[in-house]
Amino acid sequence: MPDVVVVGAGPVGTLIAALLQRRGIETAVYERRTAISTRPRAVGIHPPAVAALRQLGLELHGARQITRGEARDRASILGAMHFDPPVLTLPQHTLQAELDAHVRHLRRGAPVLTVETGSHAARVILAGGSVGARLVIAADGVGSSIRSSLGVTWHRRPGHGRYLMADIDDDGGLGDAAALWFARGGVVESFPLPASRRRWVARAATGSDLARCVAERTGISLPSATAEATSIFVASQHIAERWVHDRVVLLGDAAHELSPIGGQGMNLGILDAVALAPCVERALDGDADALTRWESERRPSARRAVAQAAFNMSVGVPVPGTLQPVKNLLVRGLARGPAARMLARAFTMQQL
Ligand SMILES: Cc1cc2nc3c(=O)[nH]c(=O)nc-3n(C[C@H](O)[C@H](O)[C@H](O)COP(=O)(O)OP(=O)(O)OC[C@H]3O[C@@H](n4cnc5c(N)ncnc54)[C@H](O)[C@@H]3O)c2cc1C
């Protein structure tokens, strides 16, 4: 019987498994997918998460560095902030492939049906049998069926919106900067990606077209391939009422959903996992409160990250034309001097 079973081999589940195995804790991972999903998701990895991943021995090969963020009004720059250390961009599936190589006992194509838990051990029920463990870590994502089966309430938090997104070739016009336009029609974000690519995201109503939104709000023409590459995501935010339930711990998106608009759910999950690993070791050594202490320590970070994402989303909502100059003034103020330094720290998650 393994000491720990991790359900879900997303970036957070794989990371906690790797961290526990390095501590000599017998850990098995069960993942329902047969292969890593290449659906575009996280790209930004912030300095604290970069440090944690590098410590584990990851090279993050091919990542692109972002050292500058710009707030723009069409072609003019309202303000800029500098990221030192830089933010890296790397597609989530590339990071996932590197993480997978650091984990043993990862079984793909193995959906967990449910988990039974008591106060000393838990049992993971699979299609073809069951596995006992002293602790189960449910890293099974936003739609966590384990969270539901435990009856844990999923509290909705402020921050909701519909966005269009595409990763396309970068014409180099914005250099290595991340750029934000707080336009009248809604926010547009653009981030440099590895291999001369760029991610474009725009808040948009149903029926809108990404290239048209970007052209109207920024004056930049995206290539015709944008339409084919466009996906839609609806951002919403939730925090699970409890993260520790007897011998089951909720981790990553299973514990908190953050809006991708500056919310950085994967980064938060990485930091939670780094903090969890020593607490799991203590819990297995008989410290009855180690896991609840971890939850109390990490929960404020989730609340701060959710609040920051809600703020980011609120700045990006469409405004009537008469209010746009006021908004530009506000953005100009926020993107200069001490406020810009504070925001740069917040955007790079150095307070989480
Ligand atoms: C468009 C978009 C952009 C984003 N951009 C960023 C960003 O730039 N930076 C950032 O930090 N975050 C970003 N995020 C958020 C980030 O993608 C998530 O926070 C991250 O994937 C969470 O990782 P996880 O391991 O907790 O969950 P997931 O990645 O969802 O992994 C959960 C895994 O569990 C598996 N699973 C589920 N149920 C079962 C079961 N019953 N049995 C076995 N396996 C199961 C799933 O197949 C999956 O592999 C973005 C999200 C979106 C949608």
Side-chain angles (χ1 to χ4, degrees):
M1 159 166 125
D3 291 318
V4 178
V5 165
V6 177
V7 182
V12 180
T14 323
L15 174 64
I16 188 66
L19 292 169
L20 295 179
Q21 288 175 352
R22 264 166 73 110
R23 287 174 176 267
I25 298 170
E26 285 293 319
T27 305
V29 188
Y30 292 91
E31 163 58 47
R32 70 176 172 197
R33 285 180 190 278
T34 50
I36 296 171
S37 163
T38 54
R39 185 164 70 94
R41 289 180 76 184
V43 289
I45 314 178
H46 292 267
V50 170
L53 295 170
R54 289 238 158 96
Q55 210 172 5
L56 188 64
L58 269 75
E59 290 178 4
L60 307 177
H61 183 68
R64 193 159 162 189
Q65 291 196 355
I66 308 183
T67 53
R68 182 178 160 87
E70 296 171 350
R72 289 176 163 242
D73 180 17
R74 295 185 77 82
S76 64
I77 297 174
L78 299 175
M81 57 184 82
H82 296 275
F83 305 133
D84 180 21
V87 173
L88 301 189
T89 58
L90 193 66
Q92 183 167 325
H93 60 87
T94 309
L95 171 64
Q96 183 70 65
E98 202 181 341
L99 273 168
D100 276 20
H102 284 73
V103 176
R104 300 181 307 279
H105 312 302
L106 162 54
R107 251 187 78 192
R108 291 194 165 273
V112 168
L113 304 182
T114 189
V115 173
E116 294 164 356
T117 179
S119 46
H120 297 294
R123 181 154 287 277
V124 166
I125 314 297
L126 298 146
S130 68
V131 184
R134 295 171 66 199
L135 189 73
V136 170
I137 298 178
D140 54 342
V142 164
S144 173
S145 58
I146 296 179
R147 186 185 63 232
S148 312
S149 72
L150 293 172
V152 176
T153 313
W154 191 224
H155 286 297
R156 187 165 190 152
R157 296 289 167 136
H160 191 80
R162 182 181 180 280
Y163 297 83
L164 300 174
M165 178 177 93
D167 294 350
I168 53 173
D169 287 342
D170 185 2
D171 69 3
L174 294 166
D176 276 330
L180 294 172
W181 289 261
F182 296 103
R184 192 179 151 190
V187 73
V188 173
E189 301 186 346
S190 175
F191 307 100
L193 299 178
S196 304
R197 308 264 294 165
R198 208 165 240 283
R199 170 165 291 184
W200 288 88
V201 180
R203 187 173 176 117
T206 315
S208 327
D209 166 80
L210 180 59
R212 204 176 59 229
C213 289
V214 170
E216 283 169 5
R217 299 176 198 174
T218 73
I220 293 173
S221 302
L222 298 184
S224 53
T226 305
E228 240 173 62
T230 300
S231 57
I232 300 168
F233 68 86
V234 176
S236 58
Q237 306 209 98
H238 292 85
I239 300 185
E241 176 193 22
R242 273 174 299 133
W243 298 357
V244 179
H245 184 102
D246 286 337
R247 301 308 280 177
V248 180
V249 178
L250 300 177
L251 185 66
D253 276 15
H256 41 63
E257 177 186 22
L258 265 72
S259 157
I261 302 301
Q264 311 302 342
M266 181 182 75
N267 282 272
L268 186 67
I270 288 173
L271 300 183
D272 290 344
V274 169
L276 178 61
C279 297
V280 167
E281 188 165 14
R282 285 198 283 275
L284 295 177
D285 284 345
D287 179 344
D289 299 326
L291 298 172
T292 45
R293 277 203 308 275
W294 164 79
E295 177 177 343
S296 321
E297 277 163 24
R298 293 304 302 161
R299 199 171 258 284
S301 296
R303 287 204 202 99
R304 275 199 297 276
V306 160
Q308 187 188 316
F311 170 77
N312 294 345
M313 292 175 80
S314 67
V315 182
V317 297
V319 290
T322 46
L323 287 183
Q324 189 60 35
V326 180
K327 192 172 188 179
N328 281 354
L329 259 180
L330 181 75
V331 170
R332 227 184 258 278
L334 285 175
R336 278 164 198 252
R341 279 192 292 280
M342 237 172 63
L343 275 183
R345 274 184 66 76
F347 279 125
T348 52
M349 301 193 83
Q350 301 199 45
Q351 85 291 17
L352 298 182

